[in-house]
Amino acid sequence: MNHYVFTILLLFLQIVGHCATLGDKILLEREARLQRSAQNLGAFQEARSTSSLSGIQNINTNVILNEESSGIPNYTLLQAIKTALKQNTTLHNLAKNINISHKDAYLKNEVNKFHMDFKSGIHKTSDNSKGVIDDIHRRIANLNSDENQYFLGLEMKMPLLDGGKSRSSYNIAKLNTELSKIALEEYKQKLIRKVTQVFLEIILVQEKLEILGSQMEKHRQNLAFLEQNPTRDIRFPIEILQAKTKFEEHRHQEMTLRQDHQLLKNEFIFLLQLENPLFILDKNARTKVIREKLAGFQKVALTQSLDLKKLNIELMKKKLMDFKYKSTHMPKLDFVGKTSYQRLMDRSDLDEVTIQAGFDIDFSIFDGKRSVTKLRQNRERKKITKSKIDALQNRISIDVASKFEYFLNIKSQINVTKGHLQLAKQVLFEAEERYQNGQISKVKLLEVRIEYKKTIFQYYQILKDLILSKMDLFLISSQLNLSVFG
């Protein structure tokens, strides 16, 4: 008897174990299917050096992520930025300005630069203007009061000292070259930020269009159901009117959104200087993970800020202007030389050759206090610039703190949004199964799909804000370059 009881108990435990194993297999299979769908959803990941907005693809989406066979270029965010940096016309012009400023520095320095001019001409002179012939020779030669004179020769000059004026002008021109380089770097970083923003906005508009498409399909199905309902009140079709109104409202929204989409695409084409208006955006926007603390960002921003560098250069230029104004009362020394051949057109025996060489010294004693007044004005300008530097340093510290706090707040929302996304996937999976089994209508399935796509859009929106908040932090600390993108 005990043997039978033990056998029955063992058989019961095996059946229970088999049912539990079968249930586990069903759960595991469902989880595996969800994981496979999650591969296309591209959950937010932060690796050692990158974070990603990657590969999120809606169910039944019309957005093609990769179509190499079509010959349409497919841009990741990094590729788009590289293309813009390579082809942007304004960036090329700013680079040319650097070369112009560099050559301008050479032109500002006059000291020890040799100048030589060739001069020649024919003059008509009289005894009042004398000319090259003195009165004794005029009487001996029996010359009248009018004569034609021909001359040619060389004039030479080389400034040796100018009181530091040329040196100051040369150093100011070199600082202007640095300003041109800063202008190039500033535009480059703003271009990177702009391309990133337009890239992400295009993707978000595409997601909005997907949502609107599903909403319009839902209202179309609902309208068809209402019109085919035999029990509807023909004399009072308020539900049909509401459905038609809602459908037209969404269709107008779609038209407006498509216009916004086209404007964003035009902006993208302009920024990258693309010849082909057709392109595909790969949803791959890897960016550098921020590991620095707030104090580190503030320190880097105060040392690397391009705006601060510009103000410091302006202060240095004003200090050099002091030397330039003071040079007015410093001695100036030039080496000069001149050689010429002169003769009368009708008398070959009165040729004259002159050679001159020596030094010209110029020393300003009094200029009506012009230089003193300029120095006083420049002193006030330096005070203004110093106050601007102090104010900007305070502003940078405050802005970095504000942007860093915003970045942390956005980052904290990622896990919450991922949880919503996981729940939306599970609900969609269940709705698909129930629709296949005839348990829910197509309208109900479309409602679930719309909520699913809205969750994805929310996920995209958070990731866009996160990436742009990073860009703002790197931009204010002047670290926005290709190393930020992975």
Side-chain angles (χ1 to χ4, degrees), residues 52-63:
S52 176
L53 170 69
S54 59
I56 298 182
Q57 183 178 12
N58 292 342
I59 292 179
N60 295 332
T61 179
N62 293 323
V63 180

Side-chain angles (χ1 to χ4, degrees), residues 8 22 68 153 216 242 256 299 324 379 398 427 449:
I8 293 171
L22 180 62
E68 296 180 357
M216 291 174 65
Q242 289 176 340
T256 303
K299 183 178 179 180
K324 190 172 181 179
R379 189 182 304 122
I398 294 172
V427 173
R449 285 183 176 179

Side-chain angles (χ1 to χ4, degrees), residues 33 54 108 111 126 136 155 164 167 194 259 272 288 296 299 311 320 343 362 369 403 407 425 445 460 476-477:
R33 293 172 66 183
S54 59
K108 293 297 182 181
V111 175
S126 66
I136 297 176
E155 290 188 4
R167 189 65 184 174
K194 184 64 175 179
Q259 177 65 19
L272 273 64
K288 179 181 178 182
K299 183 178 179 180
L311 282 178
L320 289 172
R343 62 166 295 177
D362 183 8
K369 293 187 177 181
K403 293 181 185 300
F407 162 74
K425 287 188 293 182
L445 176 62
Y460 266 126
I476 197 172
S477 57

Side-chain angles (χ1 to χ4, degrees), residues 308-323:
L308 267 179
K309 286 182 178 181
K310 287 192 293 185
L311 282 178
N312 283 317
I313 288 177
E314 290 296 333
L315 182 60
M316 294 172 63
K317 286 172 62 177
K318 289 176 174 57
K319 290 179 179 179
L320 289 172
M321 289 300 294
D322 283 344
F323 294 102

Side-chain angles (χ1 to χ4, degrees), residues 108-111 160-172 319-333:
K108 293 297 182 181
N109 191 6
E110 293 289 337
V111 175
L160 300 177
L161 297 173
D162 65 355
K165 179 180 179 181
S166 291
R167 189 65 184 174
S168 299
S169 298
Y170 172 76
N171 289 331
I172 290 173
K319 290 179 179 179
L320 289 172
M321 289 300 294
D322 283 344
F323 294 102
K324 190 172 181 179
Y325 295 144
K326 291 176 181 179
S327 67
T328 303
H329 299 291
M330 299 296 290
K332 300 175 181 58
L333 179 64

Side-chain angles (χ1 to χ4, degrees), residues 44-142:
F44 180 80
Q45 298 175 351
E46 286 207 353
R48 294 180 58 188
S49 61
T50 62
S51 61
S52 176
L53 170 69
S54 59
I56 298 182
Q57 183 178 12
N58 292 342
I59 292 179
N60 295 332
T61 179
N62 293 323
V63 180
I64 303 174
L65 298 185
N66 194 358
E67 187 62 39
E68 296 180 357
S69 60
S70 65
I72 301 176
N74 187 354
Y75 291 99
T76 63
L77 177 58
L78 179 59
Q79 291 169 341
I81 291 172
K82 286 182 176 179
T83 303
L85 295 179
K86 181 180 179 181
Q87 299 183 175
N88 188 269
T89 303
T90 304
L91 207 59
H92 292 170
N93 292 336
L94 289 172
K96 293 176 182 177
N97 283 338
I98 296 176
N99 293 329
I100 294 172
S101 298
H102 180 72
K103 293 177 180 178
D104 188 56
Y106 172 81
L107 298 175
K108 293 297 182 181
N109 191 6
E110 293 289 337
V111 175
N112 296 329
K113 290 185 178 178
F114 187 74
H115 300 268
M116 178 180 289
D117 296 331
F118 171 78
K119 293 189 175 182
S120 178
I122 300 175
H123 291 171
K124 186 173 183 179
T125 62
S126 66
D127 54 356
N128 294 324
S129 58
K130 298 299 183 181
V132 299
I133 310 300
D134 57 25
D135 292 339
I136 297 176
H137 285 83
R138 285 179 178 278
R139 287 195 293 269
I140 294 174
N142 193 24

Side-chain angles (χ1 to χ4, degrees), residues 206-314:
Q206 290 173 348
E207 296 301 315
K208 285 183 180 180
L209 286 171
E210 286 296 315
I211 295 172
L212 277 175
S214 297
Q215 289 175 333
M216 291 174 65
E217 179 62 24
K218 170 196 165 185
H219 289 299
R220 188 181 292 109
Q221 293 288 335
N222 187 41
L223 180 61
F225 172 77
L226 291 173
E227 290 177 338
Q228 295 172 8
N229 186 4
T231 62
R232 64 186 176 90
D233 188 348
I234 300 176
R235 295 174 300 173
F236 191 67
I238 183 64
E239 293 180 345
I240 294 179
L241 179 60
Q242 289 176 340
K244 288 184 177 181
T245 303
K246 204 68 178 176
F247 177 78
E248 292 299 326
E249 178 183 341
H250 282 94
R251 189 166 72 170
H252 178 73
Q253 290 177 359
E254 184 192 30
M255 180 185 67
T256 303
L257 198 57
R258 288 195 182 279
Q259 177 65 19
D260 295 339
H261 184 234
Q262 186 59 50
L263 292 175
L264 285 171
K265 289 176 66 177
N266 293 342
E267 180 70 12
F268 187 81
I269 292 170
F270 174 76
L271 290 173
L272 273 64
Q273 302 292 306
L274 300 179
E275 296 181 359
N276 186 358
L278 299 178
F279 59 86
I280 299 169
L281 297 187
D282 190 335
K283 299 176 183 179
N284 183 353
R286 295 187 178 276
T287 54
K288 179 181 178 182
V289 173
I290 293 179
R291 304 189 186 280
E292 294 85 354
K293 303 298 183 182
L294 173 59
F297 258 110
Q298 288 176 327
K299 183 178 179 180
V300 173
L302 290 174
T303 56
Q304 300 296 326
S305 170
L306 296 179
D307 289 332
L308 267 179
K309 286 182 178 181
K310 287 192 293 185
L311 282 178
N312 283 317
I313 288 177
E314 290 296 333

